[in-house]
Amino acid sequence: MKGKAPASGKLRGIAAMARLALASDTPRAVGAVVMTLAISAHPVVVALFIRQLTDAVVAGHADTAMGWGLGLAAAVASWLALLWYTFGLRTVLEEKVRHAAEAGIAAMSMAPWSVAHHEDPEIAEELALIERDVNRLAQVVIFLLTLLGALGQLLFAVVVLADVHPVLLLLPAVGALPVWAARRGDRWRQRSLELAAADENRARELYAVACGAEHAQELSVLGAQAAVRDRHRQLAGAAQRERETGAHRSFRVQADATGLFGAAYAAAVAVAVLAAVAGKAGVGDVLLTIALAAQVTGQVTMATDAVTQLVRAKATADRYLRIAALADGDRTDGAEPPETGDGLALHDVTFRYKDAARPALDGVNLRVEGGQTLAVVGENGAGKTTLAKLMCRLYDPDGGAVTWNGAPLSTLDPEAWRSQVSAAYQDFVRFEVTAGHTVGLGDLPRIDDTGAARTALRKADGERLEDALPDGLATPLGRSHPEGTELSTGQWQKLAVARSMMRETPRLLVLDEPTASLDAETEYRLFQHYARASREVTRDGRGIVVIITHRLGSVRFADRIAVMERGTVAETGTHDELMAAGGRYARLYRTQAEAYRLDEPQHAEPEGER
């Protein structure tokens, strides 16, 4: 997902939600439309029954009046039954649309081959807003049905009123004023919310700082409580004043339009009364006009509310459609990864994150042959993790190429390439499923293979973790389970590393800061396991292991070490070669050895590792 989401048409987002409802449950969607129209006709039918009943009573026709009275009772009873039935139908339909929208949002987030949409602030904010307002997406269908019912009843009422007096046809035209005023007022209100957003966001952040227990100590020492409180009050007050300005303007325009419609309603009733007095209409026509004119008022109000809600929901629906278009646009095909060749290589690769001040990678040239283990080291911000992302093709480079056995990754099918890649990251996922499935997710076809999960745990130095769990690998993990077991950060990280070991013969195994949450002893022991895992992955001479870390004391077993500095490769070689060269690697190694009080015997390579 790259670039800014394209703009959508005026009603495309709303139409997309209607199509989603139809696709989610066609019978209920069609039934809801039919029932809504039937309900909209019922009040007019009831008003007609009242007119006929009144005229029969005035004329003294008892039998006729009794017949119309029974018909009126039946009409009211059927109307109430339809209301309850339609309410249930709409509720189920709304739930189905909400579920479909949530599934669509998840698919949009996971569909693109790149992770750029998660790291692009604009697109990430779009996704976050869609997730927050998913209920509004589901309610679009309800608002559309409400608007349909209101307009249908308005149309039926107009046809009947025209039979009383043609001038009554003007009533709905005047009733359009509140609809226009509602849209106008809502635009002013939305504009005020946008203008207030910056101050409101800063006020919210200060509120979190002021009320957070974790900040209390530092605020107290700095003596900054009063300053934070005053600044929060200032920002919150400015945001509130801006919101009040928009709300006041919105209220004024809607109040004026509603007053005009009220005057038109009074005039309509007066027209019917004068017609009756003149003998051109009956008493029933007067009551009919009063009832239907009141319905026009109610339906205009309902239509106004529905339009207002649709205007508010339109932004979310359009946003949903824009992100869906980007996700569809990122579907790419390509060739299968070559089985043989010269391994993994970066050719003059340059990459810059959006809005970054400088490139994360700048002219990187690096080659790792099949069967080798590469350690990428360097200080924070040197470009190590970005290098890993490009190797996994989570991004394409801005310049140059990343190739696998001579074929640019950009020409390969992303899913086919990733099926041959395994990875563990410092920012790992805490999958709150069973411990066995948490590991097994690393190789989905074998997710239920307990033996494979246990083997992966052994490779990650996690044998004792299984014994510590109440039900072993069948133990549910995390707080989302009523009886789930919570783990320490280090234990979660071991499961993440084990997950990366699930694939038996990955062509590329990337371990990005895999020991960040582990103590030094565990880290060293785990790197011994990495050495053995590296031999297994690279045994056939085709697999490659890339270990990325800022800790240098445990990567001596690597066939090659690349030192990153400000987005470039400063040095490459074996540990011994780099130490003998006396360059940046040697300086960093000695500095870290002294800082961590490491000595050479403690981190000597285990026997048989090379």
Side-chain angles (χ1 to χ4, degrees):
M1 185 181 291
K2 296 182 286 186
K4 189 175 181 179
S8 60
K10 289 185 178 180
L11 296 176
R12 287 184 61 218
I14 300 297
M17 291 302 102
R19 289 194 299 271
L20 185 62
L22 194 61
S24 301
D25 193 331
T26 302
R28 280 193 174 89
V30 173
V33 171
V34 173
M35 292 299 174
T36 297
L37 289 174
I39 288 173
S40 69
H42 257 76
V44 179
V45 172
V46 169
L48 289 171
F49 272 91
I50 291 174
R51 179 178 70 173
Q52 297 301 116
L53 173 61
T54 302
D55 289 341
V57 171
V58 171
H61 300 152
D63 292 341
T64 303
M66 182 62 69
W68 285 113
L70 292 175
L72 176 61
V76 171
S78 64
W79 181 44
L80 292 174
L82 272 175
L83 280 174
W84 282 108
Y85 182 78
T86 305
F87 175 77
L89 200 65
R90 288 186 179 189
T91 300
V92 175
L93 183 62
E94 182 182 358
E95 288 297 324
K96 290 205 169 188
V97 174
R98 179 184 292 107
H99 175 74
E102 288 176 343
I105 292 168
M108 292 174 202
S109 183
M110 294 184 289
W113 60 266
S114 169
V115 298
H117 61 297
H118 291 295
E119 297 178 349
D120 184 323
E122 290 184 26
I123 297 177
E125 183 180 5
E126 292 260 272
L127 279 169
L129 290 172
I130 295 172
E131 292 169 9
R132 186 196 67 184
D133 295 334
V134 66
N135 287 339
R136 188 172 290 174
L137 289 177
Q139 290 168 353
V140 165
V141 178
I142 303 303
F143 300 147
L144 283 173
L145 290 172
T146 301
L147 181 60
L148 175 66
L151 294 178
Q153 187 170 338
L154 189 62
L155 177 62
F156 295 138
V158 166
V159 171
V160 175
L161 285 172
D163 185 54
V164 177
H165 197 292
V167 75
L168 297 180
L169 288 171
L170 297 175
L171 187 62
V174 180
L177 288 175
V179 177
W180 169 84
R183 297 190 65 177
R184 181 81 171 180
D186 196 68
R187 282 198 293 270
W188 284 337
R189 193 183 65 83
Q190 290 294 332
R191 177 59 178 163
S192 70
L193 291 177
E194 292 172 4
L195 292 174
D199 286 341
E200 189 172 17
N201 289 337
R202 288 194 290 269
R204 191 181 297 114
E205 290 296 326
L206 286 175
Y207 182 84
V209 170
C211 297
E214 66 273 21
H215 307 307
Q217 178 175 321
E218 187 169 353
L219 287 176
S220 297
V221 171
L222 294 173
Q225 299 101 319
V228 170
R229 182 181 62 247
D230 293 344
R231 182 59 175 159
H232 169 263
R233 185 177 298 145
Q234 177 186 359
L235 291 169
Q240 180 63 24
R241 287 190 295 275
E242 186 61 52
R243 289 194 300 269
E244 288 175 354
T245 298
H248 179 70
R249 293 184 70 189
S250 176
F251 169 78
R252 284 293 303 275
V253 70
Q254 292 184 67
D256 291 345
T258 302
L260 286 174
F261 183 77
Y265 169 67
V269 174
V271 167
V273 171
L274 291 174
V277 171
K280 298 180 180 179
V283 176
D285 289 323
V286 175
L287 294 179
L288 177 70
T289 301
I290 292 173
L292 292 185
Q295 288 179 22
V296 168
T297 305
Q299 296 313 309
V300 167
T301 301
M302 188 178 296
T304 299
D305 291 341
V307 169
T308 300
Q309 295 297 336
L310 282 171
V311 169
R312 293 175 182 174
K314 179 181 178 296
T316 303
D318 288 347
R319 188 175 291 120
Y320 181 95
L321 202 60
R322 289 196 299 270
I323 297 298
L326 285 176
D328 289 339
D330 274 332
R331 292 174 182 169
T332 57
D333 299 319
E336 291 291 318
E339 290 293 327
T340 58
D342 56 0
L344 184 68
L346 286 82
H347 307 273
D348 200 24
V349 167
T350 300
F351 180 80
R352 183 194 298 265
Y353 291 102
K354 184 177 180 180
D355 298 329
R358 63 180 180 84
L361 298 177
D362 190 6
V364 172
N365 288 282
L366 187 63
R367 183 182 302 279
V368 193
E369 297 178 3
Q372 287 190 338
T373 296
L374 170 72
V376 181
V377 301
E379 296 178 338
N380 291 336
K384 305 186 299 296
T385 294
T386 303
L387 192 70
K389 289 177 181 178
L390 268 65
M391 288 177 171
C392 296
R393 207 197 163 191
L394 300 180
Y395 285 100
D396 279 336
D398 297 330
V402 182
T403 62
W404 172 256
N405 289 333
L409 294 187
S410 59
T411 66
L412 304 182
D413 180 86
E415 292 186 6
W417 171 239
R418 297 225 183 96
S419 69
Q420 299 189 18
V421 175
S422 194
Y425 299 99
Q426 178 180 353
D427 297 325
F428 51 86
V429 180
R430 303 188 183 197
F431 291 106
E432 296 197 355
V433 291
T434 64
H437 282 175
T438 298
V439 176
L441 279 164
D443 191 6
L444 284 175
R446 298 193 300 156
I447 189 172
D448 294 316
D449 190 335
T450 303
R454 191 168 287 118
T455 300
L457 268 174
R458 176 182 55 78
K459 293 178 181 179
D461 191 36
E463 300 98 324
R464 288 178 292 181
L465 178 56
E466 179 183 0
D467 297 335
L469 296 174
D471 297 315
L473 294 181
T475 303
L477 304 179
R479 296 188 178 92
S480 62
H481 298 278
E483 298 179 359
T485 297
E486 187 55 70
L487 304 180
S488 68
T489 301
Q491 288 173 319
W492 279 113
Q493 188 160 42
K494 278 193 176 182
L495 291 175
V497 174
R499 190 160 55 245
S500 72
M501 301 293 180
M502 271 295 293
R503 285 181 174 159
E504 294 180 308
T505 56
R507 289 296 167 237
L508 175 63
L509 171 61
V510 176
L511 303 168
D512 185 5
E513 299 284 5
T515 61
S517 300
L518 305 178
D519 57 72
E521 181 180 353
T522 303
E523 175 193 33
Y524 176 62
R525 190 167 60 249
L526 189 56
F527 268 102
Q528 290 180 313
H529 284 267
Y530 288 163
R532 287 190 287 272
S534 297
R535 288 205 313 276
E536 293 180 16
V537 172
T538 61
R539 182 177 295 137
D540 63 0
R542 292 188 295 175
I544 288 173
V545 177
V546 178
I547 296 177
I548 295 174
T549 182
H550 67 279
R551 300 175 181 176
L552 310 186
S554 301
V555 296
R556 293 179 58 183
F557 68 88
D559 297 295
R560 196 175 181 197
I561 298 171
V563 183
M564 297 289 297
E565 183 177 10
R566 293 182 63 82
T568 63
V569 177
E571 297 177 298
T572 61
T574 65
H575 171 77
D576 292 338
E577 290 170 347
L578 293 173
M579 291 299 292
R584 183 160 185 77
Y585 176 85
R587 293 194 300 273
L588 286 173
Y589 185 90
R590 293 189 180 101
T591 300
Q592 288 192 12
E594 182 178 351
Y596 289 110
R597 296 183 179 179
L598 303 176
D599 54 22
E600 293 294 328
Q602 180 182 0
H603 277 261
E605 298 176 48
E607 293 183 12
E609 289 301 312
R610 302 211 31 103

